[in-house]
Every structure is written in C-alpha cells, then in structure tokens.
Amino acid sequence: MSDGTAESRVDREDWLDPVSLLRAAVVGLFMGTADAVPGVSGGTIALIAGVYERLIGAITAITPQRFLTGVRSLIPVGEGFSIDRARRLLMTVDAGFLIALGTGVATAVVLVTRAVHFANANAPVVLYGVFFGLIAASAVVLLRSLPPESGREIAMGLVGVVIAAVLSGRSTPLSGDGLLVVFVAGAVSVSAMILPGVSGSLLLVILGQYERMVETLKSVMDGLASAVLDGASLPFDQIVVASVFILGGLTGLATISRVIQWALLRARRATLFFLIGLVVGALRAPIAELLGREAVSVSTTSVTAFLGSALVGAIVVLVLDHTAVDLDLAEV
C-alpha cells in the first residue's frame, strides 16, 4: 500500500475505537494460533477476517524516517515535544490496530507453544502427525486455489519443493545453535507470517529451528514467572536467544517482506507457485523429525497413530477452507 494511502489514516476517527481494537485482538488470537503450528498461515486468517490489506498497509507504512520522527516528537529537543505530532504519526501507521493485533498474536503463540511443548514431550507421533495433515491439506487448498497455467509456474513450484525437501532433513544448514542462525530464522519465519498460505512456523520446521524456539519461549515464560513469584534468577541465556529471534523478526518485516512484495509485483504467479512448492516440500519435515528420534520406532501402532492424527489435522484445514473463505491467491 502506498504512503499516500497510509497518510489518509490521519483522518480516521476510529483508530482507537474499543470495538475495532477488540476485534483486531481476537483476529490476532486466531492468527497467532495458526502461525504457531506448521501448515496453517496467519496471513490466510487475516485474509479470512478481512484485515489483510489493512495489515500490509500498516506494516509497509512503518519506515525508519517515521520512526525517527516519532522519537523526536517525544523528546524536548529540535522541533520540541509534541503529543499531537506523535498522535498523528501513530494514526498514520495504524498503531492501535497493530498493537491490538500483535497482542492477540503474542498471547496465542505463548499458549499454543506451551501445548506443543507438552505434546512434543509426551506424544510426538500424534503431534507431528497433526502437523503433516495440516501441511498436506494446506498444499491441497493452495493448489486448488491456483492451478498452474504455464511450464514456468510448474518449474518454480518444483524449485520450491526441492529446496524445502532438502532443507527439511534433521541436518539442515540452519540447525545450529548460533545467534546468527536464530536471527535469520526469525527474519524468514516472521516475514512468512504475513503471507497467505505459508506458515512462519512451517519455515521454522524446514530450517530446523521450530522445536528450539518452542523450548526457548517456554523457558523464558517459565523463568519470568519464577522470577516474579519465587525470586528466582532470570534465564538470561534464553532471553538473549528470544530477543535475537524477535530482532530478526522485526528486521524481516522491514526488509524481507518488502523483497517478497517486490517479487509478487514482478512475477506474482511464479512467486506464489514457489511458495506453494515450499509447503509441498515441507511434508518431509514431520516424517524426518520422527525418524530421527531414537524414542520413536516404526510400528503398526505408531503408523496408525500418525495417519489418524494427520487425518484430524487435514480435516481442520479443509473445514476451515470450506466454511470460512474461498481463497483466491491470484487476487491477493
């Protein structure tokens, strides 16, 4: 969305309307829930809820110049302290909407990742079976919404499949523990959150960082709670990892999301097929994860549990697609 469109928000009177903010927070809860599990995209939820265009416009309206202008308006130097100038700037970037939406997303991510952590420790076959079903059904929905029309589109889709399949093994190039890896994972995954069809957590699975970030988030939340309630020391190592991931995510929103936007403008369908290919290729990830665990053995019981939970995950996505929206990626 252009800056001109963003500037028009200055005249909006409902930017802090309680009902509008509550609705944004609820949408954020659903988006966060979707993005916390591989397969379903928070961007798709935003599209379903009718806030996708507003979200993209608000994100692209945030520029370094506007950020510095906002900081200067709150510091009594230069042009001086000006609440009115700061308020108008917040309206320009639709800050009320972004804060409400972000609060909902963060709340859902914290709650869902705790559930994922529990399931990963106690029922990994069921957990990754659900992930497989979510990913497979998402691929079906996306391919149905955008059938290929040229060899170029098919080729781009195959490139995405190969890249995701190669990276989905347990020995991925980004499966290390360095902070640079965490930064890159945050930048890529958070950028993907705003794309319909591509889940940020799915890319974390592909990059080999999903379980680590789930563990990190749980450790940080538990550590903060213990520090407040029992006076325990803060888990600074985990806080640093989480902070670097968030910094990478903010950087991704400011940069990679614009690269993706540029690619969509230059070659929309080819780019979308590449993204769909990533989803298809990521089907290897849940299986590779389970096969790499010594505690998980291939047996009739485990295969049945995996397929049954995969069916449940697929049904969730197909029901959502059938009842909520007729997703047309070509029009996104």
Side-chain angles (χ1 to χ4, degrees):
M1 186 174 292
S2 67
D3 285 352
T5 303
E7 292 289 357
S8 68
R9 291 196 185 92
V10 173
D11 298 325
R12 294 175 56 151
E13 298 295 336
D14 65 339
W15 76 291
L16 288 179
D17 174 61
V19 175
S20 177
L21 295 181
L22 178 60
R23 180 176 183 271
V26 172
V27 172
L29 284 171
F30 284 102
M31 288 181 63
T33 301
D35 270 311
V37 293
V40 185
S41 167
T44 299
I45 301 299
L47 190 66
I48 291 170
V51 301
Y52 185 76
E53 183 179 358
R54 185 176 181 181
L55 173 61
I56 296 299
I59 291 174
T60 55
I62 300 175
T63 63
Q65 180 181 2
R66 285 184 176 139
F67 176 78
L68 293 176
T69 299
V71 172
R72 286 196 296 267
S73 68
L74 299 176
I75 299 177
V77 295
E79 297 180 6
F81 182 81
S82 175
I83 290 294
D84 182 66
R85 189 164 65 249
R87 180 182 65 84
R88 289 175 63 84
L89 184 64
L90 289 174
M91 292 173 66
T92 297
V93 300
D94 211 354
F97 168 76
L98 284 179
I99 292 173
L101 190 78
T103 300
V105 169
T107 301
V109 167
V110 169
L111 295 176
V112 173
T113 50
R114 293 188 72 87
V116 168
H117 178 271
F118 176 83
N120 186 47
N122 295 278
V125 173
V126 173
L127 175 67
Y128 282 94
V130 171
F131 286 174
F132 185 89
L134 291 172
I135 297 169
S138 296
V140 170
V141 170
L142 293 170
L143 288 171
R144 186 179 63 188
S145 70
L146 195 70
E149 295 180 353
S150 68
R152 179 192 182 193
E153 294 170 0
I154 295 176
M156 288 300 295
L158 291 176
V159 170
V161 170
V162 171
I163 291 176
V166 170
L167 292 179
S168 292
R170 288 180 59 85
S171 58
T172 68
L174 285 180
S175 60
D177 297 329
L179 292 180
L180 178 59
V181 170
V182 174
F183 181 88
V184 173
V188 173
S189 62
V190 175
S191 296
M193 286 177 63
I194 62 174
L195 291 173
V198 181
S199 168
S201 56
L202 172 61
L203 292 188
L204 282 180
V205 170
I206 293 174
L207 298 176
Q209 292 294 312
Y210 181 75
E211 284 191 31
R212 180 188 182 187
M213 295 317 303
V214 168
E215 294 278 353
T216 297
L217 180 58
K218 180 181 181 299
S219 297
V220 169
M221 298 307 299
D222 289 347
L224 292 176
S226 296
V228 172
L229 299 176
D230 304 323
S233 59
L234 291 172
F236 286 106
D237 291 345
Q238 298 300 321
I239 290 176
V240 169
V241 173
S243 299
V244 170
F245 182 82
I246 292 172
L247 180 61
L250 294 175
T251 303
L253 283 178
T255 55
I256 297 179
S257 59
R258 283 174 166 78
V259 172
I260 296 172
Q261 185 181 51
W262 173 84
L264 289 170
L265 290 174
R266 292 290 299 270
R268 176 176 297 270
R269 291 183 61 89
T271 301
L272 289 172
F273 268 97
F274 173 76
L275 295 173
I276 294 173
L278 291 179
V279 177
V280 176
L283 284 170
R284 179 192 174 195
I287 298 175
E289 175 61 36
L290 289 177
L291 292 179
R293 295 191 176 195
E294 295 181 359
V296 177
S297 60
V298 179
S299 65
T300 302
T301 301
S302 61
V303 171
T304 302
F306 182 87
L307 294 178
S309 54
L311 179 61
V312 172
I315 290 174
V316 169
V317 173
L318 295 176
V319 169
L320 175 65
D321 175 67
H322 177 73
T323 60
V325 65
D326 183 13
L327 182 62
D328 186 358
L329 281 180
E331 298 300 323
V332 174

